Amino acid sequence: MPLSLTAFLVLGFAIAIIPFSARQWMPLTVFVASLILAIISGVLDWTGLLLVLSWAVVSAFLFRQQNPIWLYGLMTALLLLAVHLVMTHTAPGFHNLQVLSEVKTSADAIPYSLYLNFDKAALGFLLFLFAAPRITKAKQWLRCLRMTLLFFIPTAAVLIGATYAAGLVVPDPKLLWFLPIWIFANLLFTSVSEEVIFRQFIMGQLMEKLGRGTWTGLTALILSSLFFAYYHLSGGLPYAAFSFIAGLFYGATFWKSGRIETAIGVHFLVNLTHILFFTYPMLAR
C-alpha cells in the first residue's frame, strides 16, 4: 500500500473515533500520526503542516474558552478563511490524492473522479474534535439514530426527487467495484467535513451569537445553506441550487436534533442512496 494512501487511511481513522472517544488525546494522537505519514509521503509539505497546526490552535482556543470579542472575531475570521481555502482547494502545501479518474458508473452517466482531500478532512477533524460535544450515553446514540432515520426519508425524497424531475438522474440500481473507498471518502472526508464546517461551525456560531429563537434559527439556517451552495457553484447553478436545498434539510436536521452526528448521517445516507440506486453523479447531456 502506498504510504500516501496510508496517511489518508490513518486520518480517516482519527475522524471515525472522535464520537466514541471520551477524551481528546486518543484521536489527537492518531491525527498526529497521520500528519507524520503525510509529511514523509509528500501529501503535506511544511507550509501545509504549519497551516494545519495554526487551525488546531485557533480551533482549540475558539471553542474551549471564553474570548474577548475582538479575539473571537479574529479567530472566527481565520477559520472562515481556512474554510474558503479547503473548499476551493487553494490551501498551499497540500497534495491531495486522486483515487479514481474519469470512471463511468453507467453508460449514460458523466465520468466521475474521486479525490481524497487532506486539507478539507484535516479542518473537518479539528472542528469535529473541538466544536462538537461528545455523546456520553447509549440513550443519546439511540435518539441520534431515530432522528437520522426520521430526517433521512423526507430529505432523500425531496433531493433525489428534485434531481429526477429535473432530468439529471434516472433509476439505476448497481453495485460498484469502488464502493468501499467511496464510502470511506464520502462518509469521513465529505459528509463529516462539510457538516462540521457548515452546520456545527457556521450555523452553530450564528445561532450562538444571534440567539436560539425561531427567527434567528431560520436566519442561521438560510445563511449557512447559502454558504454551502456558494462552495458548490463549481458544479454549475443547478448543482448549487440543489446544494442550497440540501443545506436547508441538513441544517434543519442539526437544528432540531441538536446533534451534528444526525446531520452527518442524513448527508451520507442521501449520497449513498444516490450512488446505489440512481445515475451517479448525473446523466450525460
Side-chain angles (χ1 to χ4, degrees):
M1 180 185 297
L3 194 59
S4 58
L5 180 58
T6 304
F8 286 95
L9 294 176
V10 174
L11 176 55
F13 181 63
I15 295 169
I17 64 176
I18 289 175
F20 310 103
S21 302
R23 300 183 183 275
Q24 294 177 347
W25 66 266
M26 184 178 294
L28 271 174
T29 301
V30 179
F31 181 63
V32 169
S34 75
L35 294 180
I36 294 171
L37 289 169
I39 284 286
I40 295 172
S41 63
V43 171
L44 269 182
D45 63 27
W46 293 105
T47 303
L49 179 62
L50 288 174
L51 272 179
V52 172
L53 295 178
S54 68
W55 298 342
V57 171
V58 171
S59 299
F61 275 92
L62 180 62
F63 298 110
R64 290 302 180 215
Q65 64 180 39
Q66 293 293 324
N67 299 289
I69 187 65
W70 68 269
L71 184 57
Y72 170 83
L74 176 61
M75 290 190 295
T76 301
L78 289 173
L79 283 183
L80 286 173
L81 175 60
V83 169
H84 177 75
L85 291 175
V86 304
M87 291 302 298
T88 56
H89 303 299
T90 54
F94 296 87
H95 306 283
N96 294 319
L97 181 66
Q98 184 176 20
V99 291
L100 295 175
S101 177
E102 300 293 305
V103 173
K104 294 200 73 173
T105 60
S106 56
D108 55 356
I110 65 172
Y112 171 66
S113 298
L114 177 64
Y115 288 83
L116 297 177
N117 297 308
F118 202 96
D119 49 356
K120 183 176 174 181
L123 182 60
F125 168 87
L126 293 167
L127 292 176
F128 198 14
L129 183 69
F130 291 116
R134 299 283 83 80
I135 294 177
T136 58
K137 298 178 180 178
K139 183 168 61 175
Q140 293 175 308
W141 276 113
L142 289 174
R143 180 178 180 274
C144 271
L145 178 60
R146 289 196 301 269
M147 296 293 284
T148 298
L149 296 176
L150 178 67
F151 279 93
F152 160 65
I153 294 171
T155 302
V158 170
L159 294 179
I160 297 178
T163 55
Y164 175 75
L168 299 177
V169 301
V170 294
D172 182 27
K174 57 194 173 298
L175 282 176
L176 299 166
W177 62 269
F178 59 82
L179 192 61
I181 188 63
W182 182 92
I183 289 174
F184 171 82
N186 199 271
L187 175 58
L188 298 175
F189 283 38
T190 299
S191 298
V192 169
S193 295
E194 292 186 355
E195 291 311 306
V196 295
I197 286 171
F198 292 102
R199 260 55 73 176
Q200 184 71 60
F201 171 45
I202 294 178
M203 185 176 172
Q205 289 302 296
L206 284 169
M207 292 176 70
E208 182 176 318
K209 297 306 176 185
L210 296 175
R212 296 282 175 171
T214 300
W215 289 109
T216 52
L218 286 172
T219 301
L221 174 63
I222 292 170
L223 288 175
S224 62
S225 300
L226 286 171
F227 269 101
F228 189 57
Y230 172 76
Y231 285 109
H232 288 83
L233 272 172
S234 58
L237 281 175
Y239 186 54
F242 286 119
S243 297
F244 175 73
I245 298 170
L248 293 176
F249 276 94
Y250 301 151
T253 302
F254 171 64
W255 184 12
K256 295 304 180 182
S257 68
R259 299 297 322 182
I260 195 60
E261 291 85 355
T262 56
I264 292 168
V266 171
H267 190 153
F268 172 69
L269 288 175
V270 168
N271 291 349
L272 183 63
T273 302
H274 180 185
I275 195 171
L276 287 179
F277 299 107
F278 294 87
T279 314
Y280 193 87
M282 64 179 68
L283 290 168
R285 294 197 178 256

